[in-house]
Amino acid sequence: MTIDPVLGDLAPEQVRVRFPPSPTGNLHIGNVRSALYNWVFARHHGGTFVLRIEDTDAERNLAESYRNIYDSLSWLGLEWDEGPEKGGDYGPYLQSERSELHADVAAKLLAAGLAYKCFDTPAELEARQQDLPKGTPRGYDGIHRNLTAEQVAEFEAQGKPYVIRLKMPESGAIAFNDLVRGEVSFDAAHQQDYVIVRANGKPLYTLVNPVDDVLMGITHVLRGEDLLPSTPRQIVLYQALAEIGVGSGRIPIFGHLPTVLGEGNKRLSKRDQGGGLAEYQDQGYLPEGLLNYLALLGWGIADDRDVFTIKEMVQAFDIRKVNASPARFDPKKCAAINAEHIRMLTVVDLSERLVAFLGAAGVIGAPATPAERELIARVTPLVHERINTLSDAVPMIDFLFTADDKIIIADDAGLKPDSVPVLDATIEALTGLADFDHASIEAALRAALIDGLGLKPRHAFGPVRAAITGKRISPPLFESLELLGQDSALARLTAARSGLGEV
Ligand code: GLU
């Protein structure tokens, strides 16, 4: 039997991956990339995508962050198969509800001699370290690793607090085969016995993350390269768990995804501009556009092809083709990829997305009135080729949803005292117009302004545009006039004309 390099002895549908965010606010864009790769990996193999919330660090958890994670994943279309609000056979999926399981595992590790109580206080450790020669690693020196049962009993009788540390191997290599990086090896001598339970009895991330991976039957751990330094410790813990019969004994296969770099070659942080998911939602990115761009941060479908659908990604995805070197986040490229996905939408689809986005942005009602919906449906073809994100549509079309007497003409809109004759002629031409469709409007205005006044198109139509939209740039003018309707158009032209006074 040949062993598949990605699946090992697993059948594809046995694949179980997890996305384990901590509820600490807006999702970070690097985390979203991890969620995407895990989801795609699960879908590619027909396996299971588990959502687990790592919320044992109670002080940092914000109630709305839980909701934010669920809503964000749903918005992205990265539906989880098991997890909060879904359930599943391996719950609970909030880590904070699993403390009994964690305490039980810690007790078993102690009983098996794979972990030990360490009574050293930070002050005692520091005092010992003061005399060490410069350059000696400052980690825990393992003094309490070999306490006798009597010494432990004595400390306990004194009521001395203790942390629990996992015993790391003292020599040799801790090695594993990473699906992205190939063979990775750490020198065990550089690994200190690390704390898995705090002095207050609370288990740490270092314990609960690998324990839950094992208890939830996770087969593949695909996560950011920033976590690589903790992987040797996790592997030793997985091995310890196998030894004491926690979980199936299977050690998950790792794939460490490349770091996402922001400005100045630094890891993109969620505090950086462009580092949090909410920004992209606010700007009106399409989930499929953003996901396409995030997919490119470490993977490609083909050398000459940047634009693809998630369905295509699911089909083609091969974790071994993920690039190990850091990926730079390029906001311009992200916007350009999103623009491509906007062009790929049908007019009806884009129109529906604009209705939702403009409703949330307060440009139209939420829910929209039938009249607002109709107007959006009619203006959508006019902006379809002109926007990179949904928010780009706002300044282009908000004139349609602004009351006539609330139009403010921008200083740079190009309306000047010498625009008076243009506006007068426009008002005259449009007042009697029987059919107010864009072709009739265009014919009437060309006759009045170009032929009649002898103006160049820019000088002729700029002031008209400024009067009805307040801006220098708008969707095509004649269509805009048609959408606005004759009464509103004339009211705005008249107001702009009187704003310029007598000439
Ligand atoms: N809660 C951890 C984080 O958000 C999970 C790390 C992991 O994927 O193992 O960084």
Side-chain angles (χ1 to χ4, degrees):
M1 190 179 110
T2 50
I3 295 285
D4 185 283
V6 174
L7 298 177
D9 59 350
L10 293 167
E13 65 275 12
Q14 289 177 305
V15 160
R16 291 177 61 81
V17 287
R18 78 322 189 251
F19 176 52
S22 298
T24 49
N26 176 18
L27 271 188
H28 169 230
I29 216 71
N31 260 349
V32 177
R33 199 270 319 260
S34 294
L36 168 67
Y37 279 34
N38 276 284
W39 182 87
V40 167
F41 185 78
R43 292 292 171 267
H44 177 80
H45 292 291
T48 304
F49 176 62
V50 179
L51 174 64
R52 175 173 83 224
I53 307 293
E54 306 221 311
D55 58 346
T56 49
D57 201 352
E59 278 158 41
R60 289 162 63 215
N61 299 335
L62 306 168
E64 66 269 23
S65 300
Y66 291 79
R67 192 65 273 141
N68 178 267
I69 292 170
Y70 310 151
D71 290 349
S72 298
L73 290 178
S74 301
W75 181 79
L76 289 160
L78 304 180
E79 295 297 341
W80 56 103
D81 306 307
E82 286 176 26
E85 309 208 312
K86 273 266 162 68
D89 293 341
Y90 296 79
Y93 294 91
L94 299 186
Q95 217 158 40
S96 58
E97 293 172 5
R98 302 173 62 82
S99 19
E100 272 172 39
L101 293 168
H102 301 144
D104 180 54
V105 170
K108 284 185 175 141
L109 287 169
L110 276 178
L114 296 169
Y116 61 94
K117 295 178 180 173
C118 173
F119 298 86
D120 271 318
T121 62
E124 283 161 349
L125 184 58
E126 207 182 304
R128 285 208 298 274
Q129 291 189 335
Q130 264 183 359
D131 309 326
L132 290 177
K134 257 211 169 103
T136 318
R138 283 295 190 265
Y140 183 62
D141 53 15
I143 294 288
H144 283 196
R145 177 170 169 141
N146 299 312
L147 293 179
T148 62
E150 291 73 37
Q151 286 170 308
V152 171
E154 197 183 317
F155 281 137
E156 284 188 324
Q158 292 165 7
K160 228 178 157 203
Y162 62 84
V163 299
I164 301 178
R165 290 183 189 270
L166 189 79
K167 283 187 185 165
M168 293 292 283
E170 283 167 299
S171 59
I174 305 168
F176 63 98
N177 202 331
D178 189 284
L179 291 173
V180 176
R181 265 143 237 280
E183 198 62 26
V184 180
S185 178
F186 292 84
D187 185 349
H190 294 147
Q191 303 287 327
Q192 55 169 308
D193 295 344
Y194 65 98
V195 179
I196 53 175
V197 179
R198 285 200 186 89
N200 63 7
K202 286 239 183 285
L204 279 155
Y205 161 79
T206 50
L207 178 75
V208 296
N209 174 282
V211 165
D212 285 346
D213 286 345
V214 159
L215 292 178
M216 292 183 176
I218 298 303
T219 59
H220 294 76
V221 171
L222 311 179
R223 58 181 192 170
E225 183 195 0
D226 54 307
L227 294 157
L228 188 57
S230 68
T231 305
R233 303 199 298 250
Q234 299 215 351
I235 287 182
V236 172
L237 181 51
Y238 289 134
Q239 287 164 345
L241 296 175
E243 227 176 294
I244 58 173
V246 172
S248 67
R250 173 182 291 280
I251 293 182
I253 301 168
F254 280 93
H256 286 90
L257 310 174
T259 306
V260 179
L261 299 177
E263 288 281 310
N265 271 356
K266 287 209 302 279
R267 194 161 88 89
L268 185 68
S269 121
K270 84 171 163 199
R271 278 167 295 278
D272 291 339
Q273 204 192 348
L277 177 67
E279 269 180 60
Y280 298 88
Q281 294 176 300
D282 293 346
Q283 282 178 51
Y285 270 77
L286 305 183
E288 55 267 59
L290 184 62
L291 289 179
N292 182 165
Y293 182 67
L294 294 182
L296 295 173
L297 298 174
W299 184 80
I301 200 157
D303 284 347
D304 53 357
R305 202 170 150 216
D306 279 343
V307 179
F308 46 85
T309 65
I310 289 308
K311 215 166 142 196
E312 290 172 304
M313 182 180 184
V314 165
Q315 235 158 41
F317 190 67
D318 180 350
I319 182 72
R320 286 170 310 156
K321 298 268 165 64
V322 171
N323 197 333
S325 23
R328 175 172 312 286
F329 192 96
D330 176 353
K332 283 210 189 82
K333 181 151 184 188
C334 185
I337 298 275
N338 194 65
E340 297 280 351
H341 282 269
I342 287 187
R343 312 286 178 265
M344 280 153 63
L345 296 178
T346 62
V347 172
V348 173
D349 192 350
L350 176 56
S351 162
E352 274 160 20
R353 300 205 201 201
L354 282 171
V355 166
F357 183 81
L358 297 170
V363 177
I364 60 172
T369 64
E372 286 170 331
R373 283 185 162 276
E374 201 211 308
L375 207 44
I376 301 272
R378 291 173 65 200
V379 77
T380 298
L382 306 184
V383 300
H384 201 161
E385 300 292 323
R386 293 179 164 80
I387 57 176
N388 292 339
T389 62
L390 299 180
S391 67
D392 286 348
V394 173
M396 290 185 192
I397 68 179
D398 59 356
F399 77 95
L400 290 171
F401 303 97
T402 307
D404 293 336
D405 59 356
K406 292 280 181 320
I407 291 289
I408 296 167
I409 297 177
D411 291 343
D412 71 349
L415 206 61
K416 299 199 198 80
D418 65 5
S419 308
V420 168
V422 179
L423 296 184
D424 281 341
T426 302
I427 293 167
E428 197 189 321
L430 296 184
T431 300
L433 203 60
D435 292 320
F436 207 71
D437 58 81
H438 64 89
S440 311
I441 294 168
E442 177 168 3
L445 291 190
R446 284 192 188 279
L449 307 177
I450 313 256
D451 304 340
L453 297 181
L455 295 171
K456 294 226 160 51
R458 188 162 58 87
H459 296 295
F461 302 131
V464 180
R465 183 189 313 279
I468 65 157
T469 67
K471 293 170 191 158
R472 206 160 47 86
I473 295 167
S474 78
L477 180 64
F478 310 118
E479 282 84 350
S480 296
L481 281 159
E482 177 185 330
L483 288 179
L484 195 56
Q486 198 161 15
D487 292 347
S488 275
L490 285 168
R492 292 176 188 199
L493 287 159
T494 309
R497 163 66 186 86
S498 46
L500 295 176
E502 289 301 320
V503 191

